[in-house]
Each structure stands twice: as C-alpha cells, then as structure tokens.
Amino acid sequence: MSNNMMADVEKILFSEEQLTSRIKELGEAITRDYAGKEILMIGVLRGAVIFMADLARAIKLPVAIDFMAVSSYGSSTSSSGVVRILKDLDEDVENKHVIIVEDIIDSGLTLNYLMDNLWSRKPASIKICTLLNKPDRRKVEVPIAYNGFTIPDYFVVGYGLDFAEKYRNFPFIGVLKPEAYEG
C-alpha cells in the first residue's frame, strides 16, 4: 500500500479487527435465521466482493453465490438515480432464499431497483445485508435485515469501497479526505 494513498485517508473509521468481529456476528445471525435452509447470496459488484467473501465464510449453512453489476455512480460521489444492470445473475432465483449483499447503502435508489427486479423473478424470500448503512443520504427506504455499521455522511473507502477504483484493497474502512475526491 503506497504511502500517498494512505495520505488520502483522514481517519480510520473501522479497523480490520472491528470488521472481522462484526462480520462474524452477522454470519451467526444469518446462520440462526436460515437454519435448515440454503441461501443464495447475491453480491453487488464490485464493492461487495471482499465483504461477501468474508461473510460467506462466517455462515455455517449451504451458501451459493452469484453477482450482479449495476451502475448508478460512475466516478461521481453521489447517485444519479439511474440504474443500469451491467451484469445479470447466472443463477435462477425462483423459490430460493436470497440475500443481497451490499458494501454500502446511501440513497437506496440502486437497492430499491434491485429489490423490485429480483422480486419479479419469484424468489422464496429476499433480505438485504449491508456492511455500511448511511441513512442521512436516503432517498428511498429499503428494508435492511442485516446491518454491519451505521455511519454518518462520510465519504468512505477501503475493504471493497472505492473512489475511482482506488483504495478498495485497504483492510480497514477509512474516511477519505475531501481533497482526494473534490475536483
């Protein structure tokens, strides 16, 4: 990790240890809630990949995984409200217990669209699991079943979260300095 990338971080919000501990708790809750069932976890690319890998290992049930890629941000810092599916599922969700795994929920627009889209495919159930919940930016309420952490309106990076495809590989979640993302 280059020092100049670290210099862009104002402060560490959640350490690697805090993330590991909370993900273990989320995995235990999902294992309890879905006892005797199989789960299809759908990761929203690209930000959710690291979180989803760790979460899947924390769930002690049969877990299938698939991914969707959607676009609503580009390289800007706020949602455009326009959602496009760039990569659809390979798995059929009909009659399956689906958990949508997100890195962060802020406006709720993307997730609201995904929920509507997935419900039309007739799953047995859909629940949302997010690592970070940023309610101050919410435009559409979405039902979050599993929430890692609720955060203020910070611009965060690390542990899968990026700005212009940088910082995803940080093992922690940090607050990005405004000068790193403001033009």
Side-chain angles (χ1 to χ4, degrees):
M1 208 168 311
S2 73
N3 286 339
N4 65 338
M5 281 179 49
M6 277 301 297
D8 293 340
V9 176
E10 190 172 292
K11 67 179 176 179
I12 293 176
L13 200 56
F14 302 109
S15 69
E16 190 171 1
E17 294 76 19
Q18 288 172 299
L19 292 168
T20 299
S21 174
R22 184 66 183 126
I23 290 164
K24 181 176 184 266
E25 291 170 358
L26 291 170
E28 289 168 353
I30 291 169
T31 300
R32 247 188 336 271
D33 293 351
Y34 287 88
K37 298 176 181 155
E38 294 185 15
I39 300 167
L40 172 60
M41 293 174 68
I42 298 175
V44 181
L45 294 173
R46 298 179 200 156
V49 169
I50 294 170
F51 171 48
M52 185 163 148
D54 289 343
L55 181 63
R57 287 190 292 263
I59 297 170
K60 306 305 179 207
L61 297 169
V63 174
I65 62 170
D66 203 347
F67 297 95
M68 290 183 86
V70 295
S71 173
S72 65
Y73 283 77
S75 60
S76 95
T77 59
S78 63
S79 177
S80 64
V82 176
V83 179
R84 293 184 312 130
I85 294 179
L86 305 176
K87 183 224 173 282
D88 207 343
L89 298 172
D90 295 320
E91 297 287 321
D92 180 7
V93 302
E94 190 169 348
N95 297 319
K96 294 185 179 167
H97 296 285
V98 171
I99 298 176
I100 300 172
V101 180
E102 266 283 26
D103 54 353
I104 188 167
I105 300 171
D106 53 18
S107 73
L109 293 169
T110 301
L111 210 47
N112 188 56
Y113 173 85
L114 278 183
M115 293 279 292
D116 288 347
N117 181 290
L118 291 172
W119 274 120
S120 74
R121 303 179 196 199
K122 300 178 177 49
S125 67
I126 301 177
K127 288 193 178 177
I128 296 169
C129 179
T130 188
L131 180 60
L132 301 175
N133 178 24
K134 195 190 290 187
D136 292 347
R137 306 229 342 165
R138 196 79 78 242
K139 293 180 180 171
V140 178
E141 286 306 317
V142 289
I144 301 169
Y146 306 100
N147 179 37
F149 302 95
T150 298
I151 64 169
D153 190 12
Y154 294 142
F155 196 102
V156 290
V157 295
Y159 200 72
L161 293 119
D162 75 303
F163 173 68
E165 294 303 320
K166 295 193 316 195
Y167 314 103
R168 286 190 198 277
N169 57 322
F170 287 170
F172 57 82
I173 293 174
V175 177
L176 199 59
K177 290 179 181 173
E179 55 267 26
Y181 61 87
E182 290 175 348

